[in-house]
Amino acid sequence: MAAFGFFRLGRLLLAVTATSLTGPALAKAPELPQTAPVPQFNQEATPPSPADIPVPEPRPADAPEAEPPQNEQPQNGQPQNGQPKTQQPEPPAIAPQPPEKPAQAEPPASPPAAPPNPAEADKKAEQEILPDPRSAAIAGKEMPAEELACRRRLKSMGVDFEERKPEHDTAVGCSIPYPVVLKTLGKSIAIGPETELNCQMAEAAARFAASVIQPAAKAEFGTDIKSIGQASAFVCRPRHAGGKLSEHAFGNALDIASFALSDGKEIDVGPTPPQKDAKFLDAVRKAACGPFKTVLGPGSDADHSLHLHFDLEPRRNGGTFCQ
Ligand SMILES: [Zn+2]
């Protein structure tokens, strides 16, 4: 039977090829367009589907993770039998949380990049710097735990200080939510005139005075530091030429212009101090790089020829800029 079938098929093929070779067969080609009705079957198939579409819609709302509801029941392992479908909508509530994470990831990008070079990089950074996020910091109704802890540490070091109401200048961008005014940097070192700083900077200054300044004075002059004369602490100065705000605008910087010893000697910061004074000043300045993130002074630029500038400017990777 199979051989006979092939035989008949072969003859049909021969007949088709024979007619196709002849001219008249081509004239009958117009019959082919009648194959177009095939798409009509597709069009007829689609109309019934819309009726099915509404059915799948409620399911993805209940089970967004594409798994059939029957499989979700054992996964949840919940003992309640009657209402598995109403309990399942809870998992989707977890999904909205991811959008919050990218918002938290943004702050790390906000701190300005550390300039690799001194003056030139500062000028470039000033032009490119974005508004400092610290400008938006305002005091809450209650003092944060870290601020309270900072004050406890100041007291334990014998620092005499007073609270000051929040500094917040929206026009310039200056801000200290919880400022303190220092009277001393420890039990035996006074500081003046009025030295308003944020508590972190106040603590850094007090620790530096006790651990570096006092020992350096004893080593070089054989006597104690009695007082420190500061040239700038919190200063709300408008940024110049659209540059970034000074750390002084956040109470995060201290300029020291002079040191007074208990024997009455005074050491002034300047471009050409006496030799002993220079040795003391150099020791203090060198040791300041690390405890403070920025250290500038005579020789850095014209603005710092008569004082040492220390600040805690936050930089990427905790980098320092000491010159
Ligand atoms: Zn300064």
Side-chain angles (χ1 to χ4, degrees):
M1 293 293 290
F4 180 73
F6 278 115
F7 179 74
R8 290 187 65 184
L9 180 61
R11 291 189 64 182
L12 285 173
L13 288 174
L14 286 173
V16 170
T17 53
T19 54
S20 65
L21 289 174
T22 60
L26 293 174
K28 296 180 181 178
E31 294 178 355
L32 293 175
Q34 294 178 354
T35 56
V38 174
Q40 292 178 355
F41 289 100
N42 293 333
Q43 292 176 355
E44 291 175 357
T46 50
S49 62
D52 297 335
I53 290 176
V55 176
E57 283 179 355
R59 291 181 179 175
D62 294 340
E65 296 181 356
E67 291 183 1
Q70 293 179 351
N71 293 335
E72 289 180 356
Q73 292 179 1
Q75 288 177 354
N76 292 334
Q78 294 176 352
Q80 297 177 354
N81 298 326
Q83 299 173 346
K85 291 181 181 179
T86 56
Q87 293 173 354
Q88 289 166 2
E90 294 178 357
I94 302 175
Q97 291 179 352
E100 296 177 357
K101 293 181 179 179
Q104 294 175 351
E106 291 176 1
S110 59
N117 295 325
E120 294 181 358
D122 278 343
K123 290 179 181 177
K124 290 180 181 177
E126 284 175 355
Q127 295 174 353
E128 298 172 357
I129 232 75
L130 297 173
D132 196 307
R134 292 175 294 176
S135 294
I138 56 174
K141 291 182 179 178
E142 293 185 1
M143 189 175 288
E146 60 182 14
E147 292 287 337
L148 293 171
C150 177
R151 282 153 175 78
R152 285 194 293 270
R153 292 192 294 271
L154 287 182
K155 289 175 182 174
S156 72
M157 287 186 284
V159 174
D160 185 10
F161 66 95
E162 294 177 354
E163 300 290 343
R164 179 59 54 91
K165 61 182 180 181
E167 301 286 357
H168 193 60
D169 186 316
T170 54
V172 178
C174 306
S175 179
I176 315 179
Y178 308 99
V180 295
V181 174
L182 296 178
K183 302 296 181 60
T184 73
L185 285 174
K187 292 176 182 175
S188 61
I189 304 177
I191 186 169
E194 185 177 84
T195 306
E196 183 177 6
L197 297 169
N198 67 47
C199 194
Q200 291 70 35
M201 184 62 198
E203 180 182 358
R207 290 190 184 282
F208 186 70
S211 64
V212 173
I213 296 176
Q214 191 66 282
K218 281 186 178 179
E220 193 59 38
F221 306 109
T223 186
D224 290 334
I225 290 282
K226 181 183 177 183
S227 66
I228 288 175
Q230 61 94 357
S232 296
F234 169 67
V235 179
C236 189
R237 246 189 321 253
R239 65 188 74 192
H240 51 87
K244 69 171 185 173
L245 279 170
S246 163
E247 290 301 299
H248 289 284
F250 304 106
N252 207 34
L254 177 64
D255 293 345
I256 295 179
S258 64
F259 302 84
L261 302 180
S262 55
D263 64 1
K265 176 181 171 59
E266 183 138 336
I267 302 147
D268 294 323
V269 178
T272 56
Q275 189 174 0
K276 275 181 88 69
D277 295 11
K279 195 174 176 184
F280 164 77
L281 292 170
D282 287 346
V284 168
R285 186 170 174 173
K286 192 173 183 180
C289 189
F292 300 105
K293 301 309 177 186
T294 308
V295 176
L296 300 170
S300 299
D301 55 46
D303 292 336
H304 298 91
S305 60
L306 296 177
H307 65 259
L308 296 173
H309 168 101
F310 302 143
D311 74 44
L312 294 177
E313 180 179 357
R315 289 195 172 88
R316 288 178 182 174
N317 303 322
T320 57
F321 178 66
C322 307
Q323 189 181 30

